[in-house]
Amino acid sequence: GVAHEVNTPLAVITTQAQMLARQLEPNDPRTRTLDKIIKQSFRASEIVNNLLKFSRVSGSEFAELDLNRVIRETVSLVEPMLKASRISLNAQFTPALPAVYGNSGKLQQVFMNLIMNARDAMPRGGELTLATEAENGSVLVEVADNGVGIPSEHLNKIFDPFFTTKSTSRGTGLGLAVTYGIIREHAGQIRVESAVGRGTTFRLEFPAVRKEVNVT
Ligand code: ADP
Ligand code: MG
């Protein structure tokens, strides 16, 4: 609700500033000031839209899900982007995973965020590993890249809202904060391991749905 309330005045600021800019001669020094206003209000609405997008994802219906399927669906959305970034996919899906109880839209968002970050970490291409496994009543998912890595002094900040090392046009710093929130909502855990210059691995753990065992 707050995000919607903020978006409307932002849109007014942007369009009014654009109208003013059009009235100026191209070499008028005030053009630069107006450009800054326009650029920053665009940025503010981009942040708001990101928040909206995440809170909106397909409501909050939970169901028994196959994480292999959720990940495959996410991959099908990003495959062209990975190809264009010269990133090869190393998929290691363990068949017949136990189900997890979750919301597929939100979980897609989680994998999307992690894959996008991996892409950003491999500007000259590389390998993205997506692996699933069942273990001791949990389903484990690994998202790993062989990109730039995360300096140790950043490791405890990356899940903070608005922490980003990317240029303002590329990163909002919301991806991992939202990811963390969604995983907690699923009673899951996320851990990260990284080495600068070698790559980063995110390990996710979700409780598996327990199957009733019929004893006869
Ligand atoms: P954003 O991607 O908008 O910067 P995120 O919350 O998704 O925001 O990530 C926060 C920061 O964590 C990134 O700016 C980056 O510094 C670091 N990061 C996240 N994932 C990776 C990764 N796979 N490799 C290297 N750094 C990463
Ligand atoms: Mg991100």
Side-chain angles (χ1 to χ4, degrees):
V2 173
H4 275 298
E5 291 299 320
V6 173
N7 240 350
T8 312
L10 276 178
V12 176
I13 292 172
T14 314
T15 46
Q16 297 296 312
Q18 281 170 330
M19 277 170 62
L20 264 184
R22 252 177 258 129
Q23 292 167 16
L24 297 180
E25 300 294 327
N27 52 2
D28 190 311
R30 288 172 294 182
T31 304
R32 279 191 48 205
T33 312
L34 280 172
D35 280 347
K36 277 187 196 150
I37 294 174
I38 294 164
K39 212 171 146 195
Q40 294 304 318
S41 44
F42 264 122
R43 166 113 183 108
S45 63
E46 185 191 58
I47 292 171
V48 171
N49 285 331
N50 266 311
L51 289 171
L52 274 179
K53 194 171 70 196
F54 289 128
S55 57
R56 213 192 274 127
V57 253
S58 51
S60 51
E61 277 157 46
F62 274 55
E64 290 190 14
L65 301 171
D66 173 12
L67 279 186
N68 283 340
R69 218 184 106 194
V70 177
I71 297 171
R72 280 205 187 94
E73 280 166 6
T74 314
V75 166
S76 69
L77 298 174
V78 295
E79 226 156 21
M81 179 271 290
L82 292 178
K83 212 170 171 183
S85 307
R86 285 190 283 159
I87 293 169
S88 61
L89 180 64
N90 170 23
Q92 299 177 19
F93 297 130
T94 301
L97 279 184
V100 305
Y101 195 63
N103 177 277
S104 63
K106 289 186 179 183
L107 290 172
Q108 266 198 23
Q109 199 65 63
V110 162
F111 300 121
M112 184 76 94
N113 289 343
L114 294 173
I115 293 171
M116 295 299 218
N117 281 344
R119 191 264 325 254
D120 292 342
M122 300 185 286
R124 272 180 245 103
E127 188 178 72
L128 170 71
T129 300
L130 297 173
T132 58
E133 220 175 307
E135 188 193 271
N136 296 332
S138 295
V139 176
L140 310 179
V141 181
E142 199 178 286
V143 180
D145 64 67
N146 55 7
V148 294
I150 304 172
S152 56
E153 67 269 25
H154 287 171
L155 278 179
N156 59 355
K157 299 201 188 104
I158 58 171
F159 295 101
D160 294 348
F162 304 110
F163 175 80
T164 182
T165 55
K166 296 169 194 174
S167 69
T168 49
S169 55
R170 286 195 68 90
T172 56
L174 287 171
L176 285 180
V178 169
T179 294
Y180 185 82
I182 294 173
I183 292 170
R184 291 308 299 261
E185 224 182 316
H186 286 78
Q189 291 185 33
I190 180 165
R191 294 191 192 82
V192 59
E193 220 171 85
S194 188
V196 171
R198 301 253 301 277
T200 303
T201 302
F202 285 90
R203 287 197 180 81
L204 284 59
E205 184 175 341
F206 297 93
V209 174
R210 284 205 213 173
K211 283 281 162 242
E212 308 259 323
V213 180
N214 288 318
V215 184
T216 45

